[in-house]
């Protein structure tokens, strides 16, 4: 199981903040590999809010005792003191992002962005932008640089704006066959991102035009197929840099780049630093966190 998370003041205890309109307490992500099942049950809930994003696969949530299977492209919102019960199964390849937040004006902020008081499941669509925002919050909570608490709120507000835009366009996206087609494409790219993928060949294999596919894929994910594949490669390269001792050439090959030099240049363009620098930054952050615990 892969876990990446960050906590305000390094505490996992939930809390209620009354001083700020909005305050971010923690953020993280889960991916199940070896662990077959990951259950969570908080009968009395928490003191804060939680917003979970199902980025890939499926997850099982319970609302008022009734199970609901939530697939990729949806978010789940839990409110303070609401029972939380959900399960992840490795066989369904879930990739989950979560953030806990609190504050004295959260209800009004959520309402402003189209999330009503009775909303539990939010159709968000699949977007690499959501991942970027969650990962940015995780990084800020881990590194705790100057003004990070304000930046956390900034990232979270960007997330709410992205969700609101998707809520507003939802009525124009009721074509379930189209959504299924895009879901299949997302799953295919996620499973084969490190192989040589031809967008033209994929479209031909599914009897759809290249232009139609790219246009609808971009509407569904807010990115083109090629950009989505590149984002998957960079995301998984970051994971390998953080969790393995593979060198840059090995990682380049594992995520689908035959030329390590091209991979390093593209990684730097996307991340603002080379793979080597990225790994050094992670090691420095881990050492700093170890010193303060």
């Amino acid at each position: 199981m892969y876990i990446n998370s960050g906590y305000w003041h390094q505490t996992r205890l939930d809390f209620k903040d009354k001083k700020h309109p909005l305050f971010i307490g923690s953020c993280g992500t889960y991916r199940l590999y070896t662990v077959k099942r990951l259950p969570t049950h908080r009968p009395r809930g928490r003191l804060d809010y939680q917003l979970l994003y199902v980025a890939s696969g499926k997850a099982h949530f319970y609302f008022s005792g009734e199970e609901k299977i939530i697939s990729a492209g949806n978010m789940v919102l839990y409110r303070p003191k609401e029972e939380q019960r959900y399960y992840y199964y490795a066989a369904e390849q879930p990739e989950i992002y979560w953030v806990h937040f609190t504050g004295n004006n959260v209800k009004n902020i959520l309402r402003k962005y189209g999330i009503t008081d009775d909303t539990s499941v939010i159709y968000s669509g699949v977007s690499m932008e959501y991942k970027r925002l969650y990962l940015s919050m995780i990084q800020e909570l881990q590194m705790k640089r100057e003004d990070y608490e304000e930046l956390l709120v900034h990232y979270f507000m960007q997330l709410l704006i992205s969700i609101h835009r998707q809520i507003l366009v939802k009525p124009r996206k009721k074509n379930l066959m189209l959504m299924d087609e895009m879901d299949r494409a997302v799953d295919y790219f996620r499973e084969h991102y490190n192989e040589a993928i031809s967008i033209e060949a994929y479209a031909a294999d599914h009897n759809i035009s290249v232009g139609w596919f790219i246009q609808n894929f971009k509407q569904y994910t807010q990115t083109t197929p090629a950009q989505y594949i590149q984002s998957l490669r960079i995301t998984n390269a970051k994971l390998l840099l953080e969790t393995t001792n593979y060198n840059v050439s090995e990682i380049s090959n594992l995520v689908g780049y035959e030329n390590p030099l091209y991979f390093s240049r593209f990684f730097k363009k996307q991340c603002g630093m080379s793979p080597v620098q990225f790994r050094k930054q992670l090691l420095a952050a881990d050492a700093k966190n170890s010193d303060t615990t």
Side-chain angles (χ1 to χ4, degrees):
M1 182 173 71
Y2 170 70
I3 302 174
N4 187 18
S5 57
Y7 296 83
W8 181 71
H9 282 194
Q10 298 178 336
T11 176
R12 293 175 180 263
L13 296 177
D14 55 326
F15 60 91
K16 183 176 181 179
D17 180 274
K18 296 181 179 181
K19 296 181 180 179
H20 306 87
L22 178 66
F23 193 87
I24 310 304
S26 59
C27 189
T29 179
Y30 289 112
R31 293 181 196 170
L32 267 62
Y33 295 116
T34 55
V35 177
K36 293 183 178 180
R37 177 175 176 268
L38 180 63
T40 297
H41 188 202
R42 303 182 180 110
R44 298 182 180 179
R46 290 173 53 103
L47 296 175
D48 53 15
Y49 291 75
Q50 181 178 201
L51 183 65
L52 302 103
Y53 167 50
V54 183
S56 299
K58 300 176 182 178
H60 298 248
F61 292 85
Y62 286 79
F63 304 98
S64 301
E66 184 175 339
E67 181 187 31
K68 188 168 185 178
I69 299 175
I70 306 299
S71 58
N74 289 279
M75 296 193 186
V76 173
L77 176 65
Y78 283 113
R79 292 169 175 78
K81 299 182 180 179
E82 179 182 1
E83 180 185 11
Q84 298 185 11
R85 183 184 173 197
Y86 47 91
Y87 298 83
Y88 308 145
Y89 297 93
E92 295 175 333
Q93 299 182 311
E95 180 183 5
I96 312 295
Y97 292 79
W98 51 266
V99 57
H100 289 286
F101 57 100
T102 180
N104 60 33
N105 197 35
V106 172
K107 280 188 178 181
N108 290 326
I109 292 172
L110 293 176
R111 290 169 184 164
K112 177 182 177 181
Y113 294 104
I115 302 174
T116 59
D117 294 349
D118 60 348
T119 299
S120 294
V121 180
I122 306 162
Y123 172 76
S124 61
V126 176
S127 173
M128 294 302 294
E129 178 67 6
Y130 300 142
K131 288 187 181 183
R132 183 189 72 80
L133 291 169
Y134 273 98
L135 291 171
S136 295
M137 288 189 283
I138 293 171
Q139 185 177 36
E140 288 300 321
L141 282 163
Q142 290 174 341
M143 301 189 72
K144 297 178 175 59
R145 293 173 291 193
E146 187 175 357
D147 302 321
Y148 78 96
E149 293 168 345
E150 294 177 41
L151 193 53
L152 285 168
V153 172
H154 173 74
Y155 286 135
F156 186 77
M157 294 298 286
Q158 285 189 56
L159 181 63
L160 291 181
I161 290 170
S162 297
I163 295 169
H164 192 208
R165 289 177 174 177
Q166 189 61 45
I167 291 173
L168 293 176
V169 302
K170 184 180 177 182
R172 299 197 294 269
K173 297 182 68 176
K174 289 185 176 179
N175 188 330
L176 295 180
M177 291 182 64
L178 171 62
M179 291 172 62
D180 287 343
E181 185 71 56
M182 296 303 108
D183 279 337
R184 285 194 293 270
V186 166
D187 287 341
Y188 179 84
F189 294 151
R190 181 172 54 81
E191 293 174 8
H192 301 275
Y193 74 90
N194 58 348
E195 303 172 11
I197 297 177
S198 166
I199 305 303
E200 291 76 11
Y202 180 90
D205 288 343
H206 291 78
N207 299 313
I208 52 180
S209 74
V210 175
W212 180 92
F213 174 60
I214 293 175
Q215 179 183 352
N216 285 281
F217 189 93
K218 187 173 182 179
Q219 182 185 31
Y220 184 67
T221 65
Q222 288 81 59
T223 187
T224 67
Q227 290 168 339
Y228 183 74
I229 293 166
Q230 290 170 344
S231 295
L232 287 171
R233 289 176 173 177
I234 293 299
T235 298
N236 283 279
K238 288 180 177 179
L239 173 63
L240 290 169
L241 286 165
E242 181 176 1
T243 61
T244 74
N245 293 319
Y246 293 137
N247 61 41
V248 173
S249 294
E250 291 171 323
I251 290 174
S252 173
N253 184 259
L254 285 170
V255 299
Y257 293 104
E258 294 182 1
N259 187 328
L261 181 59
Y262 174 82
F263 163 69
S264 294
R265 288 174 176 171
F266 185 71
F267 187 98
K268 185 173 183 178
K269 182 179 179 181
Q270 296 297 310
C271 305
M273 65 186 76
S274 70
V276 172
Q277 291 170 327
F278 180 81
R279 177 173 270 168
K280 286 181 179 179
Q281 184 184 72
L282 289 172
L283 292 173
D286 286 343
K288 182 178 179 181
N289 288 336
S290 297
D291 290 341
T292 57
T293 56

